[in-house]
Structures are given as structure tokens and as C-alpha cells.
């Protein structure tokens, strides 16, 4: 069983930055595919970013078109933590952000962009961007 805990959300003005963190339990974290999703009020949960292992400590990352060039996903395997650096935030980025994880398998040869691709979820952290 993998447990995920997000942190780093908050209130920020448009144009500002936040860094979300997701701390994970588990001894084989480095091989897990990780993802960030968000759910805005009245909307479905949507993919933001993800990364999957393509070799020893080598990862491929992908982003939703709406955040490309503004958000960066990264991980520190020594700390069992994945990050989402969010720059140039816009009011449209306001949502609850969720961290997700899945063990390596045939499902993780590419970055999963559907919530169904992931087995483990955090509780979420609120990000609010004011205009």
C-alpha cells in the first residue's frame, strides 16, 4: 500500500508561483509513475502533469497543454517526494490538486493522463489564484 500526502497549496495572486509537494511511502518509490491532477469546482478531475520511469533514475514527463511552459514536475527519490512547480499562475488554475501514483507495469510505458491509470491518490491540496 502506498500513501501520498500533498502540501504546498494556498492563495496566490495571478502571475505568482507555488510549489506543491507530494510525499510518498514505500520502498520502491523511484520506480513508480507519478501524476498530478486537479479538479476545479463543477469540473471533472483533469490531468496536469506526470512522469514515468524509462530507465534507472531516468524519467519522461508530460504536461497538459494548459500548463506547458508554466508548470514543471520533478522528483527527489531520496526523499520519496514528487514536486509540481507552478509559475505564472492564472485564475483558471484554481482547483484542488491531487497527487497520484502507480507501480510500474505495462500501464506505465507512457505517462498516464487518465485518473484510471493510477492506483494511489492523496487527499488533495487547494490552490486558489486571485485575479
Amino acid at each position: 500500500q502506498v500513501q501520498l500526502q500533498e502540501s504546498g497549496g494556498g492563495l496566490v495572486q495571478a502571475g505568482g508561483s507555488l510549489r506543491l509537494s507530494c510525499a510518498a511511502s514505500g520502498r520502491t518509490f523511484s520506480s513508480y509513475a507519478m501524476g498530478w491532477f486537479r479538479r476545479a469546482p463543477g469540473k471533472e478531475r483533469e490531468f496536469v502533469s506526470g512522469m514515468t520511469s524509462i530507465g534507472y533514475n531516468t524519467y519522461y514527463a508530460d504536461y497538459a497543454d494548459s500548463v506547458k511552459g508554466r508548470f514543471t514536475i520533478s522528483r527527489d527519490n531520496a526523499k520519496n517526494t514528487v514536486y509540481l512547480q507552478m509559475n505564472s499562475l492564472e485564475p483558471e488554475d484554481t482547483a484542488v490538486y491531487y497527487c497520484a501514483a502507480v507501480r510500474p507495469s505495462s500501464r506505465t510505458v507512457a505517462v498516464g493522463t487518465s485518473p484510471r491509470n493510477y492506483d494511489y491518490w492523496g487527499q488533495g491540496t487547494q490552490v486558489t489564484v486571485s485575479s
Side-chain angles (χ1 to χ4, degrees):
Q1 187 74 8
V2 176
Q3 293 183 331
L4 304 174
Q5 180 65 57
E6 304 96 336
S7 62
L11 173 64
V12 64
Q13 289 188 331
S17 298
L18 283 174
R19 188 177 78 158
L20 304 183
S21 299
C22 173
S25 64
R27 299 180 180 177
T28 58
F29 170 77
S30 63
S31 65
Y32 282 35
M34 303 296 296
W36 285 98
F37 288 76
R38 66 187 182 187
R39 176 179 282 161
K43 295 187 176 181
E44 297 287 324
R45 189 172 300 196
E46 67 173 2
F47 172 76
V48 175
S49 181
M51 63 191 321
T52 191
S53 175
I54 58 173
Y56 180 71
N57 279 350
T58 303
Y59 303 90
Y60 174 77
D62 198 8
Y63 299 88
D65 288 342
S66 59
V67 306
K68 279 182 181 176
R70 300 189 298 123
F71 291 12
T72 303
I73 189 171
S74 63
R75 65 197 294 161
D76 185 337
N77 292 329
K79 296 181 178 180
N80 275 19
T81 302
V82 64
Y83 303 99
L84 186 67
Q85 178 67 43
M86 306 186 297
N87 299 329
S88 302
L89 282 161
E90 303 168 352
E92 293 74 20
D93 296 317
T94 295
V96 177
Y97 283 71
Y98 299 90
C99 175
V102 61
R103 288 189 174 93
S105 72
S106 59
R107 292 190 293 166
T108 61
V109 294
V111 173
T113 59
S114 166
R116 294 190 298 271
N117 295 132
Y118 298 87
D119 294 329
Y120 305 102
W121 292 86
Q123 295 298 308
T125 185
Q126 176 71 46
V127 172
T128 303
V129 184
S130 62
S131 57

